[in-house]
């Protein structure tokens, strides 16, 4: 069997690497139009940082896992084509700011139709609006050679960045949606099930109709993000009432009906998907004439935006209502630990707010590149005369970042931050020395003992 995947991003790369790793008898080719990305996948410096990924890729690459820019050849040879390209929020025209932009998906469908010489199973791996498979089928059928049959399946991905390899190795479930009403549809579902069954127990492989599968992905992300916005809303109430949000989360999470996961109050959720997928859900609800449902889910985003801006305002108000010219150390820039991904990271929004207030940012992140941070902050590294940006300094050493700072803001929950020598950091900072723990990961009692003024999310 030959598999091809269009899109070698955070999902396509790791997902296909795991399939190739677990199924040595299947040839897996990952194709992308981005040559730099493909070159990186073929090098020792993979474009995606994920714990354990290097090992998986090393075993399979060159054996039955290949990365290429020749998408047409890869599609032509494949029995199954996964589509794992981006589905960002539309920035133009109807639905701008909410609907998913499906132009990359449609381009893939047109490529598949153009080069296919025999039947293929097309798998939606990207996160898509419910009923996208209908459009895909139409484009495929209208553009392919006569007599060629395509079966479209939905197989959304549930991995989280930072734990992608473990999530792929041992997923809670694999979801496969297809045309359950036809023999050919059921056969296609069975073929994809047989791939995952090589390493995943059968009871974890769920099959549904196409629309349930497409919709379940959006709903799963909406429910997860909703929990974070719910606990973050309570964090604000805790700050007014002397309740402690971590204690409240622990107490409610002990109820097995609620459960303990995804109740960590924070500076706000980031990542490429929660916001875009909820906005997409909101758009769909509106499109299907359900404005009340749309408003309900939109509130998850509104609360998240408020949590991010509340954090920047707290920094400014605590630092005596001005951060003009003040150095603020930002620890962490990635949207969560163990990834180099910064898409929609809260650090970007808080950073931009502080730059607007004329602060000087000293940013330390163990994995995010300098270029990426400047890009996200919409700033250039040098001015017109080639002098370094005077408002932003990127510091590989966290102690250098904190030296001379008025405040230190923890933006990402990197484990390495917990082990830093905070006495040394305190000694290097201006006094009073403020810590704003946007992730509630530090030992606040110890910090206060050292002499820090500490602001934590959802705590007095
Ligand atoms: P990404 O931007 O990292 O990767 C997408 C890749 O597709 C890019 O490298 C791009 O060059 C490539 N591409 C675009 N058009 C192409 C074409 N015609 N042919 C071949 N390659 C093409 O995106 P991602 O994070 O991997 O997300 C992909 C999809 O998976 C999205 O729909 C996203 O919502 C979903 N998803 C993402 C995650 C995650 O953790 N990032 C998790 C689950 C689902
Ligand atoms: C999320 C989902 O967890 C995945 O199941 C899904 O496949 C993926 O989105 C997707 O569709 O892209 P991801 O965004 O990679 O995965 O990471 P999460 O662990 O979900 O974290 C998202 C954000 O929420 C991060 O900024 C994280 O710091 C924040 N978060 C998470 C909290 O603030 N509190 C929590 O309790 C949990």
């Amino acid at each position: 069997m030959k598999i091809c995947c269009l899109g070698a991003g955070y999902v396509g790369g790791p997902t296909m690497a795991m399939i190739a790793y677990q199924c040595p008898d299947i040839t897996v080719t990952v194709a992308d139009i981005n040559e730099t990305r493909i070159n990186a996948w073929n090098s020792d410096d993979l474009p995606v940082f994920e714990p354990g990924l290097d090992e998986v890729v090393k075993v399979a690459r060159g054996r039955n896992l290949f990365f290429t820019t020749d998408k047409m050849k890869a599609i032509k040879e494949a029995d199954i084509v996964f589509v794992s390209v981006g589905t960002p929020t539309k920035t133009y025209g109807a639905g701008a700011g909410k609907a998913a932009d499906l132009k990359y998906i449609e381009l893939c469908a047109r490529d598949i139709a153009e080069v296919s010489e025999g039947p293929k199973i097309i798998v939606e791996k990207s996160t898509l609006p419910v009923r996208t498979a209908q459009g895909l089928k139409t484009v495929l059928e209208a553009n392919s050679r006569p007599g060629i049959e395509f079966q479209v399946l939905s197989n959304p991905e549930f991995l989280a960045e930072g734990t992608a390899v473990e999530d792929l190795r041992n997923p809670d479930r694999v979801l496969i949606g297809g045309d359950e009403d036809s023999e050919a549809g059921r056969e296609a579902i069975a073929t994809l099930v047989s791939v995952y069954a090589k390493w995943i127990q059968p009871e974890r492989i769920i099959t549904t109709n196409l629309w349930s599968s497409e919709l379940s992905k959006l709903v799963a992300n909406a429910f997860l993000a909703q929990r974070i916005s719910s606990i973050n809303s309570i964090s604000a109430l805790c700050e007014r009432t002397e309740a402690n949000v971590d204690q409240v989360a622990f107490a409610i999470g002990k109820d097995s009906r609620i459960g303990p996961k995804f109740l960590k109050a924070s500076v706000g959720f980031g990542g490429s998907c929660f916001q875009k997928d909820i906005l997409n859900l909101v758009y769909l609800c509106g499109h299907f004439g359900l404005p009340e449902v749309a408003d309900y889910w939109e509130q998850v985003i509104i609360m998240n935006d408020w949590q991010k801006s509340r954090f920047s305002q707290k920094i400014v108000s605590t630092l005596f209502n001005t951060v003009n010219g003040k150095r603020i150390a930002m620890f962490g820039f990635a949207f969560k630990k163990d990834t180099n991904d910064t898409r929609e990271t809260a650090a970007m929004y808080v950073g931009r707010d502080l730059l607007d207030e004329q602060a000087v940012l000293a940013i330390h992140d163990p994995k995010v590149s300098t270029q990426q941070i400047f890009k996200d902050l919409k700033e250039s590294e040098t001015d017109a005369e080639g002098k370094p940006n005077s408002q932003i300094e990127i510091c590989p050493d966290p102690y250098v970042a904190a030296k001379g700072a008025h405040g230190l803001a923890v933006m990402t929950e990197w484990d390495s931050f917990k082990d830093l020598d905070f006495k040394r950091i305190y000694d290097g900072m201006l006094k009073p020395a403020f810590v704003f723990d946007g992730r509630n990961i530090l030992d606040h009692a110890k910090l206060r003992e050292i002499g820090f003024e500490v602001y934590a999310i959802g705590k007095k």
Side-chain angles (χ1 to χ4, degrees):
M1 186 191 286
K2 285 194 172 170
I3 287 180
C4 142
C5 176
L6 298 176
Y10 282 86
V11 169
T15 312
M16 292 304 123
M18 184 57 75
I19 291 181
Y21 177 86
Q22 302 284 3
C23 311
D25 54 325
I26 299 179
T27 302
V28 181
T29 305
V30 192
D32 203 294
I33 48 176
N34 181 333
E35 196 177 349
T36 316
R37 231 174 197 187
I38 289 299
N39 289 343
W41 279 112
N42 282 321
S43 77
D44 287 337
D45 192 12
L46 302 183
V48 169
F49 170 73
E50 278 292 341
L53 183 61
D54 284 10
E55 290 73 16
V56 171
V57 170
K58 242 175 228 159
V59 169
R61 195 175 55 194
R63 178 186 74 178
N64 63 326
L65 173 65
F66 304 93
F67 294 93
T68 180
T69 50
D70 192 348
K71 59 183 164 128
M72 293 312 214
K73 180 164 179 274
I75 297 170
K76 198 185 228 172
E77 293 175 349
D79 305 296
I80 304 181
V81 181
F82 283 79
V83 180
S84 187
V85 297
T87 48
T89 304
K90 231 180 139 189
T91 53
Y92 53 88
K98 284 209 174 84
D101 191 341
L102 298 181
K103 71 176 168 195
Y104 306 108
I105 296 286
E106 185 176 333
L107 286 172
C108 289
R110 288 181 186 277
D111 284 346
I112 295 167
E114 188 188 323
V115 296
S116 292
E117 291 172 346
K120 290 187 196 306
I121 297 173
I122 312 305
V123 184
E124 298 174 342
K125 181 52 95 179
S126 301
T127 302
L128 296 168
V130 57
R131 298 208 68 87
T132 301
Q134 187 75 58
L136 260 183
K137 276 186 200 168
T138 308
V139 172
L140 287 166
E141 280 163 16
N143 293 282
S144 55
R145 294 166 209 198
I148 294 188
E149 297 253 328
F150 296 102
Q151 276 301 319
V152 178
L153 300 179
S154 158
N155 172 220
E157 185 48 60
F158 295 101
L159 68 79
E161 290 179 29
T163 53
V165 173
E166 219 17 67
D167 294 342
L168 289 167
R169 201 189 302 271
N170 191 20
D172 285 349
R173 79 311 208 176
V174 165
L175 178 57
I176 298 172
D179 180 3
E180 291 177 309
D181 296 331
S182 77
E183 183 59 34
R186 288 192 294 272
E187 260 175 40
I189 294 173
T191 303
L192 190 54
V193 167
S194 75
V195 172
Y196 286 108
K198 294 263 168 61
W199 79 98
I200 294 162
Q201 305 95 298
E203 61 276 15
R204 293 206 180 179
I205 305 177
I206 304 169
T207 60
T208 65
N209 76 29
L210 271 167
W211 323 123
S212 306
S213 174
E214 287 179 337
L215 184 57
S216 297
K217 172 62 197 177
L218 293 182
V219 174
N221 274 357
F223 269 61
L224 290 169
Q226 182 198 41
R227 282 173 71 97
I228 306 170
S229 275
S230 295
I231 199 69
N232 281 344
S233 73
I234 297 304
S235 76
L237 186 58
C238 287
E239 288 166 30
R240 298 276 165 94
T241 56
E242 296 191 22
N244 174 324
V245 76
D246 286 343
Q247 292 177 344
V248 173
F250 184 76
I252 65 168
K254 279 288 175 194
D255 185 326
S256 60
R257 293 167 302 175
I258 296 174
K261 294 182 182 168
F262 265 69
L263 286 179
K264 184 74 185 158
S266 68
V267 53
F269 61 74
S272 63
C273 293
F274 278 173
Q275 175 166 307
K276 108 175 147 57
D277 292 348
I278 294 176
L279 289 173
N280 186 355
L281 187 65
V282 168
Y283 178 77
L284 286 168
C285 294
H287 174 80
F288 287 106
L290 299 166
E292 292 80 2
V293 187
D295 291 349
Y296 175 79
W297 286 106
E298 190 161 19
Q299 199 57 38
V300 173
I301 299 293
I302 293 170
M303 182 53 58
N304 195 50
D305 288 343
W306 183 67
Q307 187 77 348
K308 289 181 277 189
S309 64
R310 200 165 79 78
F311 190 77
S312 346
Q313 280 164 20
K314 186 76 194 178
I315 295 177
V316 176
S317 64
T318 306
L319 293 178
F320 314 108
N321 288 318
T322 176
V323 289
N324 188 324
K326 290 181 180 171
R327 183 178 177 91
I328 297 179
M330 288 181 91
F331 279 16
F333 202 82
F335 81 96
K336 62 185 283 197
K337 73 172 179 179
D338 293 339
T339 177
N340 60 346
D341 195 348
T342 62
R343 291 178 288 181
E344 292 300 327
T345 179
M348 169 167 81
Y349 292 98
V350 172
R352 286 186 201 158
D353 285 350
L354 295 173
L355 289 173
D356 282 348
E357 293 283 347
Q358 308 291 315
V360 175
L361 301 183
I363 303 170
H364 163 75
D365 187 285
K367 283 287 169 202
V368 179
S369 71
T370 297
Q371 296 89 309
Q372 189 61 48
I373 294 174
F374 275 96
K375 194 171 158 214
D376 289 335
L377 292 174
K378 297 197 167 117
E379 293 278 334
S380 28
E381 290 185 47
T382 51
D383 66 13
E385 290 158 21
K387 289 201 201 105
N389 188 314
S390 58
Q391 254 193 298
I392 303 170
E393 184 183 330
I394 309 300
C395 306
D397 181 338
Y399 298 100
V400 172
K403 198 159 177 53
H406 290 254
L408 185 167
V410 178
M411 305 305 304
T412 312
E413 72 280 22
W414 286 102
D415 289 335
S416 59
F417 298 163
K418 295 183 203 163
D419 302 327
L420 292 171
D421 178 350
F422 278 93
K423 174 73 175 83
R424 184 175 156 202
I425 288 178
Y426 178 79
D427 289 342
M429 286 176 66
L430 299 185
K431 308 296 172 326
F434 293 96
V435 167
F436 303 89
D437 189 352
R439 296 291 184 167
N440 284 354
I441 53 162
L442 302 180
D443 181 342
H444 301 148
K446 200 168 150 205
L447 290 178
R448 291 198 177 97
E449 226 170 75
I450 292 172
F452 283 104
E453 299 279 337
V454 181
Y455 165 74
I457 302 277
K459 297 185 183 183
K460 183 171 163 262

